[in-house]
Amino acid sequence: MAVEPDPDHASEWHAARLSDRVDAARARAAARRRGAVLDLGLDEDLRLTDQVRFEVTARLHLLVETIARDLLQQAERAMPEGTGHAAPGEVIGRLHRAGALADPALVDELVAQARQGLIARALPIESMAGDAPSLLVRLTEAPDRIVAAAARAVLVAEGQAREAGEVASLPTRLHDRLVWTVAAALRGGDDPAWDGALAQAVERVLAAQDDGDRPGAAALRLAAAIDARPGELPDLLLESLSDRQLGLFVALLTHALGIDHAMVREIVLEPEGDRLWLALRALDQERPTIARIGLSLCEADRRRDVDGFAEALDAIMAVSAAAARRAIASLTLPAPFRAAIERLEGSERR
C-alpha cells in the first residue's frame, strides 16, 4: 500500500532549502572543529570535569526554561486568548545557535556555584561540638536576636533552594540580562503586540525578583550579624566546614577580609590555594586552623594537592600577617578597578 508523502516533512527537504541545509551543516562542522582545537589546546587542569559540565548544563537549561515559562505566563495575560509563540523548550536551542549562552560572566557564575555545591557535599563531616546541634542550628538559638534571625534566614534559604531543585540564582546584573535575552528568544517574528507583551512581562518578572535571593546573600547577612571577633573566627571557620556549610565559610571570610563575595568564593574554590592561605595569614590565623582548613578542602576537592600543601605549610606560616595583607591588598579594590588593572596588564604582556 502506497503511503502519501507528508507535505510538512517534505517541505524541510524542499529543493529551494537544500542550500540552507548544506550551509547549516557546514557551519556545524566548522564549530565542531573549532571546539576540538580549543579542547586539545587546554591544559588538563583548565578543563571542566564531566560532573561540573553536567551540573552547569542542567542548571542553565532549567534556569532558561523557568524564565521562559514565567515570561510566557505574564506575556499571555496581555494577549488575546490562544495567542503564543515559541515554547520554553525551543528557547534553549535558539539561544545556543545564536551563541547567547556563551556569556563568560554567566558561565563563570554557574561553574562557581556547581563547584561550591560539589565541594560542600564532599567535605568531611567531623563534629567539633560533640553531640550538640550543628553550628547553624545553634546560631538560630543564639541570645542575640539579630544573629538568631539571620541564622533562621539561612536555613529558610537552604530549604527554598532544595525545593527549587537545580534552578540557579544569579547576581542581579546577570539575571536581568538573561531575562531580556530569553524574552528576545521568545519573539516570533515581527509582531509589535507580542513584543510589547514580552517587554511588559520582563518588567513584571524583574520587579518580582527579590535581591535577597541572590547567591550567598543570606549567609553574608549572618556573617555580618555575627561580626566575629579575631578570637572567635577560627572555630567558626572550622565548624562551618565540618558542617558542610561552605557558603557560610565563604561569607565569614568575606566579612572578615572586607573583600567582595565573588572574589572570596573564587579564592576558596581555586585548587592551588595560594590566595586562600595568604588571606588566612592576613587574618593572622594559626597553623592548626590553616592545616585543618587545607586538609578538609583537599579531601573534598580532588584537584588539590594534599602532599604539596603539607610540604608548603611551614613556608605559609613563615609569612607574617603584615606581609600577607600587603600581598592581597589589591583584592580589596573595587571589582571594576581590578578588572581595569587586569585588562591593562594583559595588553602590556601581549
Side-chain angles (χ1 to χ4, degrees), residues 253 257 259 267-268 270 272-285 290 293 309 312-313 315-331:
L253 278 181
L257 291 165
I259 298 173
I267 69 176
V268 168
E270 62 192 9
E272 297 79 16
D274 295 358
R275 293 190 293 179
L276 177 57
W277 315 140
L278 286 171
L280 291 169
R281 287 299 298 135
L283 295 171
D284 209 14
Q285 297 302 295
I290 294 178
I293 289 171
F309 169 67
L313 191 53
I316 292 167
M317 296 311 303
V319 177
S320 69
R325 283 192 288 270
R326 285 195 300 272
I328 67 168
S330 64
L331 301 182

Side-chain angles (χ1 to χ4, degrees), residues 191-215:
D191 185 343
W194 181 242
D195 286 348
L198 283 172
Q200 290 181 34
V202 170
E203 298 293 353
R204 290 176 63 86
V205 167
L206 297 185
Q209 189 69 25
D210 182 358
D211 285 346
D213 296 337
R214 300 310 177 192

Side-chain angles (χ1 to χ4, degrees), residues 63-65 83 119 144 165 206 233 251 255 262 272 327 341:
L63 179 61
V64 168
E65 289 175 3
T83 302
I119 292 172
D144 185 326
L206 297 185
L233 186 60
H255 182 75
E272 297 79 16
I341 292 171

Side-chain angles (χ1 to χ4, degrees), residues 39-50:
D39 188 62
L40 288 172
L42 287 177
D43 292 333
E44 191 61 35
D45 63 346
L46 297 179
R47 288 193 176 95
L48 296 178
T49 64
D50 289 342

